[in-house]
Amino acid sequence: MSDLKYQRVLLKISGEGFCGTGGFGIDSTEINVIADQIAELVRAGAQVGIVSGAGNLIRGATLSQQAGLNRATADQMGMLATVINSIALQDTLESKGVATRVMSAIQMSAICEPFIRGRAIRHLEKGRVIILAGGTGNPFFTTDTCASLRAAEIQADVIIKATKVDGVYDSDPMKNPDAKMFERLSFVEVLENDLRVMDHSAISMCRENNIDIVVCNLMKPGSVARVLAGEKLGTVISNQ
C-alpha cells in the first residue's frame, strides 16, 4: 500500500454506471466493468468503500413529481433501490474472488449488515470491500451527501466520483465538443460557480473534513487505479 497516493478510497458510482447511457436497470457488461476496476484496486492493496446511486432504477425527487408521491416516501424507495444495486455489485465482485460486504443504513438483516462505523473500518482493514447502501437512511439527502458522510466516518483519503466522462468541464461535453476540462479546482470554486460535481452539502462536507475529490471516467479500464497511484487523471477538487 506504500506505493499508493491514496490508500483508503470511497468510490461514488452513479446509478447510471450500472446501465448503458440512457438505459434502465442493471446491464451485465457495465456492472462487470465496474467490478473489474474495483478488483484492480483491491489487488493493488487499496481499502475500498463504495456508495452507489440508484438513478438506473428510481430517482426519488423525479418519482415524487411524476407519480405524486410524498417526497419522503419516494426517497425511501430510492434508498431501497441503492440496496438492489449494491447486492448486484456484491455478487459480481464475489464471483471475481473479491471479498465484499454490503452495509445498509436501513435495517434489513436478511440481506445485508447494518452500517456500524467500527465494523466497516474493520472490514476495510481485513481487505474486504464495503458497499454502503441505503443512503444516509433519511429522505431529502442525496447519495452524494451519503458518500461525503461515509468518507468522513471511515476516514477515507479521497472520494473518487466515477462517471462516464473524463472529469469536470465548463459545459456539457456531450453537447459541446469544445468544452474545457478542469485539471484542478478548489471547493470554493465549485461552490461559487455552481459546478455540477456533487450537491453543495456534499462539497461543503468534503471541504470541512479536507477530503479530496477526484472525478474520472469509470468506463476507461484502469482509470481508477491510476488515480490511486497518483497519476494526473480527471479533475482533482481540494482545499488547495
Side-chain angles (χ1 to χ4, degrees):
M1 289 178 62
S2 59
D3 293 334
L4 298 178
K5 179 179 180 180
Y6 303 110
Q7 297 182 353
R8 181 174 293 173
V9 55
L10 192 292
L11 185 63
K12 171 60 171 66
I13 305 170
S14 68
E16 289 82 355
F18 289 82
C19 62
T21 303
F24 177 84
I26 299 172
D27 181 272
S28 62
T29 299
E30 303 292 325
I31 198 170
N32 272 284
V33 169
I34 294 170
D36 285 339
Q37 294 247 30
I38 295 166
E40 186 176 4
L41 299 183
V42 174
R43 288 194 297 269
Q47 297 178 0
V48 184
I50 301 164
V51 170
S52 79
N56 58 316
L57 300 171
I58 291 174
R59 287 188 179 279
T62 302
L63 183 64
S64 175
Q65 293 173 356
Q66 293 179 347
L69 296 175
N70 181 280
R71 174 63 188 273
T73 301
D75 280 354
Q76 288 171 335
M77 294 171 68
M79 287 186 277
L80 293 175
T82 69
V83 178
I84 293 174
N85 282 341
S86 296
I87 60 176
L89 182 56
Q90 178 189 33
D91 189 78
T92 307
L93 284 167
E94 294 274 358
S95 73
K96 298 177 186 292
V98 179
T100 308
R101 299 290 187 273
V102 176
M103 308 184 80
S104 174
I106 302 170
Q107 295 288 325
M108 46 182 73
S109 58
I111 298 174
C112 50
E113 299 179 21
F115 174 75
I116 299 171
R117 177 181 173 274
R119 185 183 293 177
I121 291 174
R122 186 63 176 154
H123 284 319
L124 291 171
E125 291 173 343
K126 289 187 174 183
R128 299 168 185 147
V129 171
I130 56 171
I131 306 176
L132 307 170
T136 66
N138 301 289
F140 303 103
F141 289 92
T142 68
T143 51
D144 282 345
T145 300
C146 173
S148 299
L149 173 63
R150 297 295 184 235
E153 287 181 298
I154 66 172
Q155 298 175 300
D157 300 316
V158 66
I159 293 175
I160 295 183
K161 177 73 181 284
T163 68
K164 291 192 174 182
V165 294
D166 292 338
V168 180
Y169 291 79
D170 59 358
S171 60
D172 189 343
M174 300 295 186
K175 299 177 181 179
N176 178 15
D178 296 320
K180 174 188 172 184
M181 191 185 89
F182 300 101
E183 290 187 3
R184 296 195 68 93
L185 287 165
S186 70
F187 292 121
V188 172
E189 288 173 321
V190 171
L191 293 170
E192 287 182 347
N193 293 289
D194 196 25
L195 298 175
R196 304 292 179 173
V197 180
M198 301 172 83
D199 64 61
H200 284 199
S201 60
I203 294 294
S204 296
M205 192 177 300
C206 289
R207 178 188 178 190
E208 291 167 6
N209 290 282
N210 201 31
I211 302 172
D212 289 356
I213 301 171
V214 180
V215 181
C216 68
N217 193 331
L218 181 64
M219 295 299 111
K220 289 187 175 179
S223 59
V224 180
R226 290 169 62 192
V227 169
L228 261 65
E231 291 189 36
K232 290 184 178 180
L233 196 72
T235 304
V236 179
I237 305 166
S238 68
N239 276 320
Q240 299 178 355

